[in-house]
Amino acid sequence: MDDLSITPISDSACSSYLSAAARRLCCGNMLATYKRHGMSWDEELFSERWRDNENYAIRINGEWVGFISLKALPDILYLRDLQLVPHWQGRGVGSACLNWLIQLATQQEYGQSLMKDRASELSPGAQPCPRALRLRVFSDSPALALYQRHGFTLVNEQCTPTRSGSIMALERPLAFQTAPTLAPRGDHAPLPLSGNASLDTIIGDLTEEDALTITAKRKRQSPPAARNIAHH
């Protein structure tokens, strides 16, 4: 069995190492796509956004295999990046990460904590919780089908034209859960998931940073037997 964990990257000595690893991974995964669409890799922009984002490390059996970057806007939780090392692409990990993100974002306590610093930017009477998840994806990316399977749809036909297609804005509405499920738990009760993930996901204890950690177990698959799920 493989153990999948998603944990926040804190401001510690290892954060600079993970930042450099994330930068190399993102560049390696996206460089060909950027060139195809007439864009160039901007290392300074990546570093600037990394500092501005809420970043999470993805590990399998304790080994770092990718990262998730989130950004809280006034009423939107933005998935800035989801990157996996090539060996783990197309094997259900990306789907499990999206399920984790959807479950995390729909916890009311988490949403209020995430958005509290942006409350002044909301319209009068609005709740300081994100109403939707949003992301941007290249129109020819294999990840587009993955996002659509998890309920993401085109935002008002918003597309940015590129040399080889466009960059599309996708959004998924959030339905909040009011139960206090962010409290530390030790019973490892099953966490309900949506989508088609092949992982049986369970809640773990809170990390030292008081953020939710998801632990998942999956049966080992060899690459030829893996499902055809690609990630950008």
Side-chain angles (χ1 to χ4, degrees):
M1 302 290 286
D2 294 320
D3 290 332
L4 170 67
S5 66
I6 303 174
T7 55
I9 299 175
S10 61
D11 186 14
S12 62
C14 71
S15 64
S16 59
Y17 166 79
L18 291 178
S19 173
R23 185 170 61 250
R24 291 193 299 269
L25 175 61
C26 188
C27 181
N29 283 353
M30 299 301 299
L31 188 58
T33 300
Y34 285 166
K35 289 182 177 179
R36 187 169 66 252
H37 285 266
M39 303 169 65
S40 59
W41 169 256
D42 191 331
E43 191 160 318
E44 290 186 3
L45 179 61
F46 178 89
S47 297
E48 177 183 333
R49 287 185 173 179
W50 179 268
R51 292 190 295 269
D52 194 42
N53 292 341
E54 181 181 356
N55 303 302
Y56 292 81
I58 305 169
R59 292 183 174 88
I60 296 179
N61 299 330
E63 178 184 357
W64 184 87
V65 299
F67 69 93
I68 297 172
S69 287
L70 306 175
K71 173 66 177 178
L73 301 179
D75 61 346
I76 295 288
L77 181 57
Y78 213 107
L79 175 56
R80 278 269 182 87
D81 234 329
L82 169 56
Q83 299 286 345
L84 296 170
V85 298
H87 175 70
W88 285 102
Q89 295 175 12
R91 302 177 66 180
V93 180
S95 186
C97 290
L98 287 178
N99 283 326
W100 168 84
L101 175 58
I102 291 166
Q103 290 296 320
L104 179 65
T106 53
Q107 302 303 319
Q108 193 171 62
E109 290 182 20
Y110 173 80
Q112 290 173 342
S113 173
L114 187 68
M115 306 298 290
K116 64 181 180 180
D117 294 334
R118 313 300 298 267
S120 61
E121 304 175 31
L122 299 176
S123 57
Q127 294 297 316
C129 291
R131 63 172 178 80
L133 288 170
R134 185 176 291 184
L135 57 86
R136 291 171 66 83
V137 61
F138 286 98
S139 57
D140 60 352
S141 172
L144 177 58
L146 172 66
Y147 295 134
Q148 290 173 332
R149 286 197 298 272
H150 283 78
F152 287 86
T153 57
L154 192 62
V155 180
N156 297 325
E157 302 298 322
Q158 288 188 17
C159 296
T160 303
T162 67
R163 188 168 65 188
S164 297
S166 64
I167 301 174
M168 307 166 63
L170 304 182
E171 188 172 289
R172 185 193 192 282
L174 295 175
F176 284 95
Q177 303 173 17
T178 58
T181 54
L182 288 187
R185 298 173 58 172
D187 57 355
H188 298 293
L191 177 67
L193 294 179
S194 59
N196 299 316
S198 61
L199 306 182
D200 295 324
T201 308
I202 56 176
I203 289 183
D205 295 332
L206 295 184
T207 64
E208 293 180 358
E209 293 82 8
D210 290 330
L212 187 64
T213 297
I214 299 295
T215 300
K217 293 184 179 293
R218 70 189 299 276
K219 293 183 178 180
R220 186 178 300 277
Q221 294 177 315
S222 60
R227 293 187 296 126
N228 185 23
I229 302 176
H231 312 278
H232 75 280

